[in-house]
Amino acid sequence: MDRIADVWGPRTPHGKGTVWPARVDEYLADGLSGDEVDRWVPSACVLCSNGCGCDIAVKDGRMVGVRGRATDVVNHGRLGPKGLYGSTPWASSPDRLTRPLVREAGQLVETDWDTAMGRVVEVSRRLLAEKGPLTHGFYSTGQLFAEEYYVLGVIGKAGLGTPHMDGNTRLCTATSAAAFKESFGADGQPGSYTDVEHCDALFLYGHNMAETQTVLWMRVLDRTRSPDPPVVVCVDPRRTPVAVEAERTGGVHLAPRVGTNLALMNGLTRELFANGWVDERWVRDHTLGVEELRGIVEPYTPEVVARTCGVDADDLRRAARIFGESRDVLSTVLQGFYQSHQATASAVAVHNLHLLRGLIGRPGSGVLQMNGQPTAQNNRECGADGDLPGFRNWENPRHVGELAELWNVDPLTIPHWAPPTHAMQIFGYAEEGSIGLLWVVGTNPAVSMPESARIRRILGGDQCFVVVQDLFLTETARLADVVLPAAGWGEKTGTFTNTNRVVHLSEKAVEPPGEARSDLEIFLMYADAMDFRDRDGAPLVPWREPEEVFDAWREASRGRPVDYTGLTYARLRGPTGIPWPVTEHAPDGTDRLYHDGVFPTRTDECETYGHDLLTGAVVTEQEHRAMRPDSRAFLKGAHHTPPHEEPGPEYPMLYTTGRTVYQFHTRTKTGRSPSLRAAAPDAWVELSEVDAARLGVSEGDVVRVESPRGAIEVRARVGRVRPGTVFAPFHYGSWDLDDADPEHQHRQANELTMTVWDPVSKQPYFKTAACRVVRVRGGDGPAPAPTTAASAPVGGGVPGTSGGAPTTTRLTDTPGYPDDPAVDAAGGTGGR
């Protein structure tokens, strides 16, 4: 089977409340067969946030393929195109970093580890002695293991004492965490993937699941193609496969103007109040703030929303009725909300809908505020993104004291005198030079951050010493002062947690190339060289092996909402990943949170005291305590305001960025897969038929798209985006071009985006910018955009996307299937 041409593979429809049938997907390179594989090593896929259980095929010391694990609760054996074709080719790529690099006379040259780390330590010690810990900043990733994040968190918070720690999770998943904290008191996904088996309606808000989480979309398709399908409602300015499925199931596709999500959500919320679709008793017993919310949304009639958002008023009413009258509703949210105007307020509004109806914590009813990266959850949990480990509150002295006791350091060492520094501020401080050492781990901000030209100037300037730790010489690594070669997935051991809290153990399958070291080893090397000590003079970071760190992290999580204490490496070597919390009271994990309507909002327990969603103003501890949340959820709202930048005479269109099914982030791994690279080889932009005709643009023509900050020149796809909107995939930088100087090429989508962020989550806005489009010249063929999903052309004559190396797919019976316990009651074969 060509899984480039057939993204989601064959269907296995099944009825509501029954177990999702197992289907094992497998890909082996080099024409190998399964019996030629030396061994299969258990892991989970890291090329989206779904976290699919898989096994790595090893032959002659190389990773040569993958297969899905039929017994895993997440994917029941399935894998998507990125997982199948992109998991292993990068590991043997000839351009892997194998030795450290240091900058000499303006050039990066190879050196040994002692020299490279010695240079980092010399700068680090000098800055600490001269100006203190605020000179150090860390910008990490959503790609490491929990053990590595935890050690990094201890080094930053207890070794150095810097608040300047964040990850590229700020770009993709910060709003998810912020929304959970504002509504429920703490981070943590309330829902479960198993809710797909039980829901009557499925709402997807700014979430093109068909391309961003392909295996979860397979799960949805296997329900929507059953005799009793759920109704799908899609909120997206593009006609994605999700929108098509909404129309097919009798649902609704709402395509709001970019930047008007909150107005749309306020209109849906108002309809619940206006039509009596509110569980008044449940709301009274389990929430706070209903009357304030009612007052905020009252002006947002369907007609007002229609004018603001450009949607049909009756479509809004219909979508609200589906939500209000369905017995069980599952909602999912992603970047269309997170990276757009008023992000946290819009995401919180999704919670409000569920809380008003009491649709949370039960099979089929819940929320999945999705992540964009495979281990974004661990970054948030373990404290490498600025938050304190274990979802602790940096404003709560008792929480800070717990960590100080655990690490045996003075509580004043742990930064808690001001909010943690978010990524946008970190780069601002590096630009000014107040951060003198910026350590970038496993991410590529030169491509992924907004306003790319500014980021390149910061990274390449003399005002800040830049350390980059990565697999390849990325666009960011090319600008560094020291480059440290890291081991990747399959080349080290550790745990990671997916979007819906399922923890997997990934075992080491092969040795890393050359002198590359695991991120954990690199952090330990730095800690040893810096000689960080606790109050008694013992090493602050005493662990040597991943399992030792995992046990330390388990203890740090004890008693917190993210409790890992019942997990061990031995337990995670079983047939499936396990969702936290795992404790003596929940020894087999917890599929859903808040089934009892009890939330971690008590003042002494919560992760945050909250914010004003419009301004970001903080709620004080005294104000929070005076509200007496008593384990009730918060209903919060805000009025819609116009985006920061709107179309005008000079820049008359709206520019928005996103993803394609065949590439992941800046293509560090997927761009080195022949099948994935052929499927989406180069950048493009999408225009509607109406706009293309107005501009005189045909399929494949080269266009120049300009904003007040920069421009790109790429080929145009005449596609299915909303009129007045330009869509661009953000994956494409310069590393694979003959001229790798980004100043000499024009395909990097973030040249145009703004340095503006949400007041609560501090997540930057990639979805709202003003732009103009000018035709440059005719093209020599169609745009390089895939034809299989949301980027499909509206006209004919474009060859279909194909070319995936053959994969195998087989159905399988799996006795004793570890699945949602609620399925048992419906006659399924599952049960944990």
Side-chain angles (χ1 to χ4, degrees):
M1 178 177 293
D2 178 354
R3 288 293 301 282
I4 294 295
D6 188 349
V7 173
W8 306 288
R11 301 277 55 77
T12 55
H14 63 105
K16 180 182 178 182
T18 62
V19 174
W20 188 26
R23 187 194 92 193
V24 176
D25 296 342
E26 179 181 303
Y27 168 70
L28 292 172
D30 305 325
L32 293 171
S33 62
D35 57 6
E36 295 177 287
V37 172
D38 293 339
R39 57 197 174 97
W40 293 91
V41 180
S43 184
C45 181
V46 292
L47 289 176
C48 81
S49 64
N50 211 56
C52 298
C54 68
D55 299 316
I56 305 169
V58 178
K59 174 71 173 176
D60 297 330
R62 293 176 55 242
M63 296 190 288
V64 293
V66 288
R67 70 181 177 195
R69 192 179 308 128
T71 56
D72 197 87
V73 68
V74 170
N75 58 317
H76 298 208
R78 292 160 181 78
L79 293 171
K82 288 195 291 288
L84 287 166
Y85 298 124
S87 288
T88 60
W90 60 270
S92 54
S93 181
D95 59 340
R96 279 291 299 273
L97 289 171
T98 59
R99 297 196 71 203
L101 307 173
V102 295
R103 189 167 295 280
E104 297 285 358
Q107 301 295 316
L108 287 171
V109 297
E110 287 190 353
T111 189
D112 57 73
W113 272 99
D114 288 341
T115 299
M117 187 58 71
R119 191 165 296 191
V120 175
V121 170
E122 186 277 325
V123 173
S124 185
R125 285 178 170 162
R126 174 173 54 79
L127 289 171
L128 286 174
E130 292 176 354
K131 299 179 181 178
L134 297 182
T135 54
H136 285 58
F138 291 86
Y139 184 61
S140 62
T141 178
Q143 311 284 316
L144 304 186
F145 290 149
E147 294 83 351
E148 293 164 337
Y149 288 124
Y150 185 63
V151 167
L152 178 59
V154 174
I155 287 172
K157 290 176 170 59
L160 294 166
T162 178
H164 304 326
M165 303 188 73
D166 204 356
N168 65 6
T169 49
R170 184 65 56 186
L171 312 184
C172 68
T173 189
T175 296
S176 169
F180 288 145
K181 296 176 193 178
E182 295 299 325
S183 297
F184 309 133
D187 195 354
Q189 199 71 249
S192 166
Y193 296 163
T194 58
D195 288 328
V196 173
E197 273 80 81
H198 301 281
C199 67
D200 300 300
L202 175 60
F203 280 63
L204 296 97
Y205 301 94
H207 183 194
N208 182 9
M209 186 193 291
E211 297 194 62
T212 55
Q213 284 86 22
T214 51
V215 171
L216 189 56
W217 185 241
M218 297 173 203
R219 195 167 195 154
V220 170
L221 290 177
D222 286 348
R223 282 285 293 114
T224 61
R225 305 309 167 96
S226 70
D228 53 352
V231 177
V232 176
V233 175
C234 170
V235 178
D236 200 304
R238 300 165 77 207
R239 193 169 183 268
T240 65
V242 176
V244 173
E245 199 67 11
E247 295 161 359
R248 200 193 69 82
T249 61
V252 185
H253 174 208
L254 297 169
R257 290 190 184 98
V258 172
T260 65
N261 293 332
L262 184 57
L264 182 83
M265 295 306 300
N266 284 348
L268 290 173
T269 307
R270 182 190 181 279
E271 287 297 287
L272 294 193
F273 285 118
N275 290 280
W277 295 321
V278 175
D279 187 333
E280 302 284 358
R281 180 175 179 179
W282 196 94
V283 168
R284 183 185 66 244
D285 291 345
H286 298 287
T287 72
L288 290 171
V290 65
E291 292 308 318
E292 292 87 345
L293 179 63
R294 190 194 307 266
I296 288 171
V297 302
E298 177 56 32
Y300 295 85
T301 65
E303 289 71 26
V304 168
V305 172
R307 289 193 298 271
T308 303
C309 302
V311 300
D312 185 83
D314 286 338
D315 284 347
L316 181 81
R317 291 187 179 97
R318 189 168 161 216
R321 182 170 294 277
I322 292 170
F323 197 102
E325 294 185 343
S326 297
R327 182 184 183 277
D328 288 300
V329 181
L330 172 62
S331 292
T332 73
V333 192
L334 198 56
Q335 309 298 15
F337 271 35
Y338 299 166
Q339 294 179 341
S340 193
H341 182 55
Q342 296 187 286
T344 304
S346 300
V348 164
V350 176
H351 297 162
N352 292 341
L353 293 176
H354 281 264
L355 292 170
L356 288 172
R357 289 209 58 216
L359 299 182
I360 195 164
R362 74 186 197 203
S365 285
V367 179
L368 294 172
Q369 297 273 3
M370 300 296 293
N371 295 341
Q373 293 196 75
T375 66
Q377 194 65 45
N378 295 119
N379 197 320
R380 286 147 52 177
E381 295 167 2
C382 298
D385 69 342
D387 292 333
L388 295 184
F391 297 164
R392 288 175 171 86
N393 188 340
W394 65 270
E395 293 185 276
N396 188 323
R398 183 172 64 83
H399 289 189
V400 176
E402 289 171 358
L403 289 176
E405 182 177 357
L406 188 70
W407 297 336
N408 193 26
V409 297
D410 189 322
L412 294 177
T413 303
I414 300 172
H416 62 282
W417 54 84
T421 314
H422 61 87
M424 305 302 286
Q425 284 182 316
I426 287 174
F427 277 87
Y429 293 155
E431 185 174 33
E432 299 165 358
S434 65
I435 286 180
L437 187 157
L438 178 62
W439 195 324
V440 179
V441 184
T443 186
N444 192 10
V447 177
S448 59
M449 289 285 282
E451 202 173 346
S452 301
R454 171 177 175 258
I455 299 301
R456 292 195 298 271
R457 289 194 298 271
I458 295 169
L459 294 169
D462 295 332
Q463 82 293 343
C464 182
F465 185 85
V466 175
V467 181
V468 171
Q469 183 170 317
D470 216 322
L471 308 171
F472 295 93
L473 196 62
T474 64
E475 292 88 342
T476 298
R478 293 177 190 276
L479 299 170
D481 296 287
V482 173
V483 180
L484 305 176
W489 175 86
E491 299 170 345
K492 57 184 181 178
T493 294
T495 57
F496 55 92
T497 306
N498 73 342
T499 295
N500 76 325
R501 297 174 284 103
V502 174
V503 184
H504 285 100
L505 174 64
S506 182
E507 304 269 18
K508 184 177 181 178
V510 299
E511 293 297 325
E515 298 176 25
R517 300 185 179 188
S518 74
D519 296 282
L520 177 60
E521 291 174 305
I522 296 171
F523 295 148
L524 293 177
M525 186 180 186
Y526 173 70
D528 290 346
M530 293 294 290
D531 196 28
F532 293 126
R533 299 279 169 169
D534 67 15
R535 285 200 282 203
D536 296 328
L540 175 68
V541 186
W543 316 293
R544 299 294 100 177
E545 298 298 325
E547 190 167 4
E548 294 179 281
V549 182
F550 183 76
D551 289 341
W553 158 237
R554 288 169 54 213
E555 189 58 35
S557 74
R558 183 179 297 276
R560 297 300 301 158
V562 56
D563 198 322
Y564 276 61
T565 50
L567 283 174
T568 62
Y569 271 27
R571 290 212 58 201
L572 291 171
R573 290 190 172 105
T576 181
I578 302 172
W580 63 255
V582 188
T583 65
E584 60 180 347
H585 304 296
D588 297 317
T590 307
D591 200 37
R592 297 176 188 84
L593 303 181
Y594 313 134
H595 66 279
D596 52 3
V598 175
F599 302 89
T601 56
R602 292 184 298 106
T603 305
D604 295 331
E605 176 187 22
C606 65
E607 189 178 358
T608 180
Y609 301 132
H611 301 80
D612 178 86
L613 298 184
L614 187 63
T615 66
V618 298
V619 176
T620 67
E621 185 269 342
Q622 294 86 354
E623 290 169 334
H624 188 274
R625 194 175 297 278
M627 287 187 280
R628 298 185 59 190
D630 298 331
S631 301
R632 290 174 289 178
F634 288 99
L635 290 163
K636 291 186 173 185
H639 284 289
H640 166 70
T641 61
H644 292 78
E645 187 169 272
E646 292 192 283
E650 189 175 2
Y651 299 100
M653 301 183 74
L654 283 165
Y655 179 78
T656 187
T657 68
R659 306 176 183 224
T660 182
V661 65
Y662 300 115
Q663 298 292 355
F664 187 60
H665 286 203
T666 62
R667 302 175 305 125
T668 304
K669 290 180 178 178
T670 55
R672 290 172 168 85
S673 159
S675 294
L676 297 175
R677 185 180 179 118
D682 204 349
W684 72 92
V685 294
E686 293 171 29
L687 304 173
S688 71
E689 275 189 291
V690 172
D691 292 324
R694 177 177 56 82
L695 295 164
V697 173
S698 300
E699 170 70 31
D701 285 355
V702 175
V703 297
R704 181 175 176 86
V705 186
E706 300 174 329
S707 83
R709 289 155 297 279
I712 55 175
E713 283 189 13
V714 294
R715 282 181 284 177
R717 164 57 44 88
V718 182
R720 303 169 189 273
V721 71
R722 178 191 171 92
T725 301
V726 180
F727 171 85
F730 83 97
H731 309 288
Y732 299 90
S734 59
W735 64 263
D736 57 335
L737 298 177
D738 291 336
D739 181 356
D741 183 354
E743 305 299 339
H744 295 161
Q745 55 86 22
H746 302 284
R747 66 173 184 172
Q748 195 163 307
N750 280 320
E751 298 287 336
L752 283 71
T753 49
M754 294 187 291
T755 305
V756 177
W757 55 85
D758 182 76
V760 180
S761 69
K762 310 302 192 266
Q763 183 159 347
Y765 294 156
F766 294 97
K767 304 294 188 187
T768 54
C771 73
R772 62 183 172 222
V773 179
V774 178
R775 182 182 183 275
V776 176
R777 62 181 180 274
D780 55 1
T787 63
T788 50
S791 297
V794 294
V798 177
T801 301
S802 62
T807 66
T808 61
T809 294
R810 65 181 186 275
L811 301 180
T812 180
D813 294 324
T814 311
Y817 202 90
D819 209 331
D820 174 15
V823 170
D824 287 336
T829 60
R832 186 167 296 172

